[in-house]
Amino acid sequence: MTKARRILEAMAQAAKEGRGAVSLDGRLIDIASIRMAEALLAKADSISAAAKG
């Protein structure tokens, strides 16, 4: 979860700076990793919401 959040934060920062490439800890992050991070966090959010209500 922590790494997925860090990936999305790096993506947002790169977009804000107008960079086409995203890197985290000195490594380039491909679009597949970004999509997997988004899916993981979305699933965690839905599980959390279901548990609350």
Side-chain angles (χ1 to χ4, degrees), residues 25-44:
D25 299 332
R27 301 181 109 173
L28 287 178
I29 301 171
D30 63 2
I31 192 68
S33 296
I34 292 168
R35 297 263 161 84
M36 287 189 326
E38 290 171 333
L40 177 66
L41 292 176
K43 189 171 189 172

Side-chain angles (χ1 to χ4, degrees), residues 43-53:
K43 189 171 189 172
D45 286 345
S46 69
I47 291 170
S48 178
K52 290 180 183 178

